[in-house]
Amino acid sequence: MKILIVDDNSDLRTIYEGLFEGAGHDVHSAGDGLAAMKEVDTFMPDLVLLDILMPEMDGLGFMRTMQERTEPKPLLIAHSNLSEQVDVDRSLAAGAYAYLRKADYNGQKLVDEVERLYKKWKG
């Protein structure tokens, strides 16, 4: 699977890249939503795992922009430290297929859940 990781924390991006590459996935990353839009056009990921709070274009803006496009349409999974239900609801309304709290999903648990969600989404 081709995965785009979008997070403004470079340490987390490096950790997530290693996790998903170690599981056999092709991984690219971006530090904000604007850079991610360029990656979507060139890398054409199957799935985008993205943070919500970022500079330039946040995760909600990225998801709304992706919903306006016809192609490509990767699976969008929000992955954030925000834990209020309103944040979950906003993310799902903006186009996220799922919302994962960073504190709940890390390491192999994150990889397993992302793979499970992708299989479910593909049907």
Side-chain angles (χ1 to χ4, degrees):
M1 176 179 11
K2 292 169 67 174
I3 300 174
L4 175 60
I5 297 167
V6 187
D7 198 302
D8 60 329
N9 183 316
S10 62
D11 292 336
L12 286 179
R13 283 196 315 268
T14 300
I15 291 167
Y16 299 154
E17 286 172 8
L19 286 169
F20 286 100
E21 286 172 350
H25 301 290
D26 186 6
V27 181
H28 283 207
S29 66
D32 62 61
L34 287 178
M37 292 304 300
K38 293 175 186 171
E39 283 291 327
V40 166
D41 290 335
T42 58
F43 179 54
M44 306 205 57
D46 300 306
L47 181 148
V48 179
L49 180 69
L50 73 149
D51 191 15
I52 300 302
L53 298 177
M54 296 181 291
E56 301 301 320
M57 177 190 279
D58 67 10
L60 296 175
F62 174 86
M63 290 187 286
R64 287 185 196 110
T65 300
M66 289 302 298
Q67 292 306 307
E68 295 171 1
R69 300 176 73 161
T70 54
E71 291 296 326
K73 282 272 203 182
L75 173 63
L76 304 175
I77 299 176
H79 186 234
S80 178
N81 282 321
L82 298 175
S83 60
E84 297 295 323
Q85 187 60 44
V86 66
D87 299 310
V88 175
D89 294 343
R90 284 184 187 142
S91 296
L92 296 174
Y97 180 75
Y99 187 97
L100 305 178
R101 288 178 183 88
K102 288 182 181 178
D104 297 337
Y105 293 94
N106 53 41
Q108 189 60 45
K109 186 175 179 182
L110 175 62
V111 173
D112 292 345
E113 183 63 5
V114 167
E115 290 174 342
R116 185 191 73 75
L117 288 167
Y118 184 74
K119 287 177 187 168
K120 182 179 175 185
W121 180 71
K122 287 297 280 185

